[in-house]
Amino acid sequence: MENVEKKLREEAKSLLAEKKVDVVVGYEKGTLPLTATPCFITTPEEADRLVWNPFCVQNLAKFVHDLLGQHHEAQKRVKPEARRKKVVGVVARGCTSRSLVIHLQEKQYTKDEIIILGVPCGGYLDGKKLAALAGGEEIREGSLDEGKIVVKTVSGERQAALKDLLADNCLVCRFNQPVIADIRTGEVAPVAEAEKEYDPVTAFENLPPEARWAYFEKEMAKCIRCSACRNVCPSCYCRICFADQSQPRWVDIGADPSDTQLFQLMRMYHMVGRCVDCGSCTAVCPMGVDLRKFLKKLDKDAFEMFGHRAGVSLEEPAPLGAYRETDGEDFIFEPGKKIEA
Amino acid sequence: MEKRLIKKETLAGIVGELAGKMRVCAPMKAEDQVLFRVLEAGEKPLVDFANTKNAPKNFLFPRTEMMMKYTRTGKGMVFAGEEETDRGQTLLFGVRPCDARSFTLLDMLFDQEKYRDPYYINKRKRTTVVALACVHPPYTTCFCTSVGGNPVSSEGVDLLLTDLGEAYLAEFLTPKGEALLSAFGGTPAGKGAEKKKEEIAARAAGEIASRIPAREIKPILDTHFEDPFWDTLHLKCLACGTCTYLCPTCHCFDISDEVKGNDGIRIRNWDSCMFPMFTKETSGHNPRPSQKERWRQRIMHKFRYYVDNFGAISCVGCGRCVMACPVNLDIRKVVADIAKL
């Protein structure tokens, strides 16, 4: 990982020095132990702030969309001859690169507006698992050394293997490398057991409907409607979200639980074939809502019904955004029936 | 002022018994978090915890609260009832001194000459605050001493409990606190106990690890409304409301109507200056068009406008936003960076 980090800094430095990019979106060290935080590097001198380690959590494609979207808007107010292109460099692992592919497929920006600094990924640290290791106490110090996480809390020191603390989505990830990249910075051994990807979903599907609904209600009751899940999601980029519309007001924010349930249901249904299972929504949720359970079900459906994996190739758009003569319709009459891709 | 010593092992039982006589809200374990909630009769609260994930402001200023009911008739809309007030007394147990201080800061706004908020004031009058002093600062992110508080502060407290080791020193500070004398019992505390508390207070204040130049930035903010600093501060912000929802002093709200058939209710819900919708006007114009203006507002409100209006910083240094921000946008670092402008 140190070598990847070193190469990453060098590449970012030269991209900025040669003015090939206006900004590099990456990660830097956070202010709390065992954290990294998104950062925006605009000068070669700052490139040494970049880090790459298992504390890098969020999918950075969201910020690429923000920066380019704002730039495109701003350019509309500039005379055509004075318009300029903005190029964003982005540190991208497998899931981030898949989100970039989705943006390109959905024509949010063009390939010449981004430079992808591909990084190999062995998964990131799950906040909840880390908190459980610390027994719910504040982590006062932490270290990662040779695949071992050590945390110090007020009551003492505890440790665990990094692989036991990785996020659930990382444990079943099949994309240790970015699917597209302009620059690649190294290799890493895969940790994932991709064949188990849908096991928890299958187990959940086998529960009676009442038990599944009860779980949904329980999880949604935790939601405080901060919208962190929506805002961190690279695939959630509507200019005005239906949840923010006031004429008509589709969902309220009051005490009626159906408002929150509807908000989450609607958001999730927009994710069919567009969710890359980066886990960012679950990672940023301050209340620990298990959003992934439901999103993974939609991902499974998209795969089983259309043979589609989100953002895997530029040539293969999301099933609900494309027409194919071979698309089956049997699922209308026989929900759950598998269709040959 | 009455001072008593209360045996340590009896405290949770005393509060549990009170829960049978009045509404008692206290810290309780909820899955992997500690949250304030209403106790059942006889239920014992946590007495040994760091701090709660949510601030206790919810009991004075609920996340969603009904203001009135109305009905549509042939003659137009008719008033059909007031807010549903629970007329009984509430005991808020296990409040940390920083959170208790937040009540005095909220009083300045909700209970002032120009404007008196009946919804808040009604609840505040009926609430007794029992605080647990911080014998050790619960988190390394605590910074109460930088914003005018301290680990044993009695501001906003009716009954202050300090753990002296073998017993709690109970200080019945106000008439509301004194009303609890018979319920808490105990034996009169002597000079020795007071001296011990002073020692604890001095040591705990010394153990606060985070210090920020919160007072020093006021004159800087006065002259730096326009500054390049604001251009990049917000870039990684997700525009979620986590910081403001968990903040004990944030108090912005939005009023909306929910109508079903001919019956409507007017409710007010927490709002957040981090949300784009917060300042959006009916015309579609938004005076705070980007996250830049929203972050500037958040900082200005807490460290400049509140000082101008009420002579106090609107931050109690609990560190909740520091710990819960999904992208580690650390207010301690923001304040420190402003001090360098």
Side-chain angles (χ1 to χ4, degrees):
Chain A
M1 279 296 170
E2 285 86 40
N3 286 336
V4 172
E5 199 171 86
K6 197 164 155 251
K7 180 119 193 281
L8 182 64
R9 290 174 182 174
E10 281 165 13
E11 295 287 355
K13 211 172 277 187
S14 56
L15 285 174
L16 287 159
E18 292 162 28
K19 305 228 180 291
K20 285 185 179 159
V21 295
D22 294 280
V23 56
V24 172
V25 186
Y27 304 90
E28 67 180 330
K29 192 176 184 303
T31 61
L32 301 176
L34 305 178
T35 61
T37 174
C39 70
F40 300 80
I41 306 288
T42 51
T43 63
E45 298 75 47
E46 292 173 301
D48 284 334
R49 273 163 53 197
L50 289 169
V51 299
W52 177 244
N53 54 41
F55 318 138
C56 301
V57 175
Q58 284 98 14
N59 185 329
L60 298 179
K62 173 242 167 15
F63 297 108
V64 176
H65 192 283
D66 280 2
L67 289 171
L68 289 173
Q70 282 158 16
H71 180 70
H72 295 161
E73 275 304 305
Q75 290 295 296
K76 285 181 190 165
R77 295 190 289 272
V78 176
K79 282 182 185 154
E81 60 273 20
R83 283 182 194 160
R84 54 173 291 274
K85 197 169 90 180
K86 178 168 183 150
V87 180
V88 177
V90 55
V91 176
R93 58 174 163 230
C95 49
T96 311
S97 72
R98 292 168 66 199
S99 291
L100 297 170
V101 166
I102 292 175
H103 288 164
L104 292 168
Q105 285 172 340
E106 295 177 353
K107 302 194 168 36
Q108 293 303 302
Y109 42 79
T110 53
K111 179 65 192 67
D112 57 344
E113 291 176 283
I114 55 171
I115 289 184
I116 304 171
L117 285 146
V119 283
C121 181
Y124 62 79
L125 205 55
D126 182 271
K128 270 187 168 181
K129 291 181 190 177
L130 189 64
L133 173 69
E137 290 172 351
E138 185 201 23
I139 295 169
R140 306 212 147 175
E141 280 173 54
S143 65
L144 168 61
D145 206 14
E146 292 179 2
K148 201 173 71 186
I149 293 277
V150 181
V151 295
K152 273 188 200 153
T153 71
V154 68
S155 60
E157 199 176 278
R158 291 166 219 227
Q159 50 174 276
L162 172 65
K163 65 174 174 21
D164 294 330
L165 298 177
L166 293 179
D168 288 346
N169 54 309
C170 301
L171 292 174
V172 295
C173 173
R174 47 185 92 228
F175 301 92
N176 294 97
Q177 288 289 339
V179 294
I180 53 168
D182 297 294
I183 296 159
R184 289 186 188 264
T185 53
E187 297 286 328
V188 66
V191 289
E193 296 181 296
E195 70 284 357
K196 292 186 184 161
E197 189 177 8
Y198 296 128
D199 287 2
V201 179
T202 310
F204 191 69
E205 284 169 342
N206 290 333
L207 295 174
E210 303 76 41
R212 298 199 306 259
W213 182 249
Y215 186 74
F216 179 72
E217 278 191 320
K218 173 177 90 72
E219 289 301 309
M220 293 307 126
K222 294 182 199 168
C223 173
I224 56 171
R225 296 285 292 279
C226 71
S227 304
C229 52
R230 175 192 71 187
N231 296 1
V232 80
C233 177
S235 284
C236 237
Y237 58 69
C238 286
R239 211 166 283 183
I240 301 172
C241 175
F242 76 95
D244 288 343
Q245 286 176 6
S246 55
Q247 287 182 326
R249 178 128 186 157
W250 303 104
V251 289
D252 258 304
I253 200 163
D256 187 341
S258 71
D259 282 324
T260 296
Q261 292 165 3
L262 185 70
F263 163 66
Q264 292 288 2
L265 276 176
M266 289 294 288
R267 194 186 90 78
M268 287 188 235
Y269 273 103
H270 284 107
M271 292 298 139
V272 180
R274 302 175 67 244
C275 171
V276 300
D277 199 14
C278 65
S280 294
C281 54
T282 313
V284 299
C285 178
M287 305 315 287
V289 180
D290 180 10
L291 296 164
R292 180 168 179 261
K293 176 82 93 261
F294 310 107
L295 287 162
K296 200 65 192 164
K297 161 67 177 159
L298 297 174
D299 174 43
K300 180 171 180 267
D301 284 354
F303 181 67
E304 290 182 348
M305 291 178 182
F306 301 97
H308 179 81
R309 285 193 204 285
V312 168
S313 99
L314 281 166
E315 286 72 43
E316 204 189 312
L320 300 188
Y323 171 72
R324 270 194 318 214
E325 284 186 348
T326 54
D327 278 350
E329 291 170 355
D330 296 350
F331 67 91
I332 295 170
F333 307 104
E334 295 173 70
K337 187 187 171 193
K338 289 185 183 167
I339 296 159
E340 295 302 315
Chain B
M1 189 215 332
E2 186 75 22
K3 292 188 184 187
R4 299 253 179 107
L5 285 174
I6 294 168
K7 279 201 188 116
K8 263 184 96 166
E9 60 278 12
T10 61
L11 181 65
I14 292 169
V15 179
E17 207 168 295
L18 273 170
K21 297 175 188 148
M22 63 199 293
R23 185 165 170 261
V24 175
C25 310
M28 293 295 282
K29 200 110 182 122
E31 293 190 8
D32 48 2
Q33 295 173 337
V34 177
L35 299 173
F36 273 106
R37 72 161 167 83
V38 179
L39 298 190
E40 307 284 336
E43 215 177 1
K44 288 183 180 175
L46 292 181
V47 290
D48 194 14
F49 61 98
N51 200 359
T52 52
K53 173 103 184 182
N54 57 345
K57 71 173 174 186
N58 191 42
F59 299 104
L60 303 177
F61 170 55
R63 187 162 81 96
T64 175
E65 131 182 79
M66 197 188 73
M67 303 170 82
M68 65 164 192
K69 293 182 195 174
Y70 53 84
T71 309
R72 194 200 312 266
T73 66
K75 291 177 194 157
M77 294 294 183
V78 174
F79 178 73
E82 273 196 66
E83 60 149 344
E84 282 165 0
T85 44
D86 160 26
R87 299 285 171 201
Q89 296 287 317
T90 296
L91 183 82
L92 213 45
F93 173 82
V95 178
R96 289 294 177 197
C98 53
D99 290 338
R101 264 196 87 226
S102 78
F103 301 151
T104 63
L105 293 168
L106 291 173
D107 290 344
M108 293 172 183
L109 180 94
F110 283 126
D111 190 2
Q112 54 164 304
E113 253 177 65
K114 269 195 275 183
Y115 173 74
R116 301 190 78 239
D117 186 282
Y119 311 99
Y120 174 88
I121 293 171
N122 281 343
K123 294 182 186 67
R124 181 80 167 103
K125 264 196 213 148
R126 290 183 284 107
T127 303
T128 305
V129 179
V130 181
L132 276 171
C134 297
V135 172
H136 297 285
Y139 304 107
T140 49
T141 48
C142 291
F143 59 95
C144 61
T145 50
S146 298
V147 286
N150 70 68
V152 300
S153 164
S154 60
E155 277 182 72
V157 179
D158 297 304
L159 165 53
L160 181 67
L161 299 165
T162 310
D163 185 350
L164 301 182
E166 64 294 341
Y168 286 100
L169 172 65
E171 295 170 89
F172 299 83
L173 301 156
T174 64
K176 273 198 234 171
E178 279 165 0
L180 293 169
L181 263 170
S182 62
F184 277 78
T187 52
K191 286 267 179 279
E194 274 175 45
K195 191 159 172 280
K196 204 161 181 189
K197 188 206 156 188
E198 276 165 32
E199 285 165 18
I200 287 171
R203 195 198 56 215
E207 283 176 12
I208 298 274
S210 292
R211 280 160 216 278
I212 63 167
R215 287 195 194 81
E216 289 86 326
I217 66 168
K218 167 71 169 71
I220 301 172
L221 292 175
D222 284 341
T223 54
H224 286 70
F225 188 82
E226 297 293 346
D227 192 279
F229 173 76
W230 306 111
D231 293 342
T232 52
L233 165 67
H234 65 283
L235 284 172
K236 66 180 174 179
C237 175
L238 298 177
C240 76
T242 302
C243 50
T244 56
Y245 280 4
L246 297 185
C247 177
T249 66
C250 278
H251 51 255
C252 289
F253 58 82
D254 184 34
I255 294 173
S256 66
D257 285 6
E258 289 188 1
V259 184
K260 211 176 201 175
N262 284 327
D263 298 317
I265 53 169
R266 178 155 296 172
I267 52 175
R268 74 169 175 190
N269 301 303
W270 288 356
D271 205 343
S272 168
C273 57
M274 293 286 110
F275 295 158
M277 284 291 287
F278 182 63
T279 44
K280 193 163 180 186
E281 295 167 4
T282 317
S283 64
H285 172 67
N286 196 336
R288 288 186 207 138
S290 78
Q291 213 57 21
K292 166 188 165 176
E293 292 82 8
R294 295 169 206 142
W295 252 96
R296 180 169 61 192
Q297 167 63 20
R298 178 166 158 76
I299 295 295
M300 289 282 180
H301 195 177
K302 290 197 176 297
F303 299 96
R304 180 183 169 197
Y305 306 146
Y306 223 76
V307 178
D308 283 339
N309 291 336
F310 305 114
I313 292 170
S314 180
C315 169
V316 293
C318 68
R320 283 189 181 86
C321 60
V322 177
M323 290 182 279
C325 175
V327 291
N328 184 231
L329 217 172
D330 190 329
I331 202 163
R332 296 172 303 168
K333 186 171 182 301
V334 175
V335 170
D337 287 348
I338 291 170
K340 290 179 209 149
L341 291 180

